[in-house]
Amino acid sequence: MIAGLGVFFSGPGQTYSNSTFIDAYIGDFGWSRSQVSGIYSGATLVAGLIMIFVGRFIDRFGPRIMMVTIGSLFAIACFWNSVVSSIWMLAIGFFFIRLLGQGSMSLIPNTLVAQWFIKKRGFAFSIMTLGSFLSAMLFPIVNTWLINTWDWRFAWQFWGILLLVVFVPVALFGVRNKPEDMGLEPDGFQEKKDNSKKPLLGASAVKEAAEDWTLNEAKKTKAFWAILVCVGIPAMVNTGITFHIISIFGSNELSPAIAAMVLSLMAVVGIPMSFVSGFITDRIPTNYMLTAIFIIEVILLLMLLVTTNFFIAVLFGTVWGIANGLERIALNVIWPNYFGRKYIGSINGVGVTVVVIGSSLGPLPFGIGYDLFHNYTLVLLITLIFPVIGVISSLIAKKPDKSQLISN
């Protein structure tokens, strides 16, 4: 639950929250939309390159200290953003909320859950992911209300205060790094033989990594690099669609209200799908799930080409929610399932680095494509290449065997 709270409070650093402040910046300071968007993408890219060090700090100091430290720094970053008065201050503010919010406040909860659960890891990640979907549902609404009722500066201060008075104390007093610190074992009980889980699709039952891999050892496997491709592509495609969804729908003569409805519908559908995903990932090889996710992404991109009425928009939002629910669990579970728990912070840190970098690159091709051709048809068709690459990578990303690494 605390991990879910951490993912929820990553909200001030996520695109769905920051998008509500853009018009206020433009209106108050006279900056152009391209200026603000360019700074946001640049800050996200730099933050992504630094995330690998956050993962190493988690392995060294543990999730508890890192949660308290990052939560406190994140609150300070929110207060900084509330006093922004120049373009360079905005750049610094974007950098820190992306590094501390989107990156670190997502990575640490993922690492914490991976440490505490093995047999029930998929279900545990499903619970944690509730915080992510609730955050996506509530932050745009709350931010809009705060900005309209008071102003954008107060909205930033509001989240900074909540981080300090709610999240940081809960993390300080409620988090323990791993079950062994409390005389427990993962999943809260002694491992017993369990024949209740039957494999699906004829696959063998999913097992956690028998040994812990270091980051350097993981880098020597094809699976590690294939998984990085698999985590980067959804980040790029989803961020590109989300950032431009109002414009994409507008080019198909659909209103901004319908676009907002689709975003909310995606989050609503994603909640039950995350539980379904947790159930499935406990029973079939995770790379098979990734294959299914990329096939759905192909369908989503094709659907955007023909989303010209309310009914198809609802169908698109539903399919998008299904893909997100499956994706958020599978991409979190695969790292500890393949490479163990001991060095999961540094290994998952590389994954989050790729996610943040991917999300920084997503909006730009859509924007350039629209500026050049005044529609999104060509860029959507070109983007189809990436989920196809994802399908190939997911099939390559079979669970590695450490004995083969040693023998080589």
Side-chain angles (χ1 to χ4, degrees), residues 336-407:
N337 280 359
Y338 275 34
F339 301 110
R341 300 162 55 220
K342 188 173 182 179
Y343 305 102
I344 188 60
S346 56
I347 293 173
N348 204 9
V350 177
V352 173
T353 296
V354 173
V355 168
V356 177
I357 292 174
S359 67
S360 74
L361 300 176
L364 187 58
F366 282 80
I368 293 175
Y370 184 79
D371 287 342
L372 290 176
F373 304 107
H374 306 292
N375 62 63
Y376 291 95
T377 301
L378 183 60
V379 70
L380 287 171
L381 291 173
I382 293 175
T383 304
L384 285 169
I385 297 171
F386 294 101
V388 171
I389 294 173
V391 169
I392 298 170
S393 299
S394 68
L395 295 175
I396 295 173
K398 296 180 179 179
K399 189 172 182 178
D401 186 340
K402 197 170 184 179
S403 63
Q404 294 179 354
L405 177 67
I406 295 174
S407 64

Side-chain angles (χ1 to χ4, degrees), residues 41-51 95 99 356-357 360:
S41 294
T44 301
L45 179 61
V46 176
L49 296 173
I50 298 175
M51 276 304 303
F95 166 74
L99 173 66
V356 177
I357 292 174
S360 74

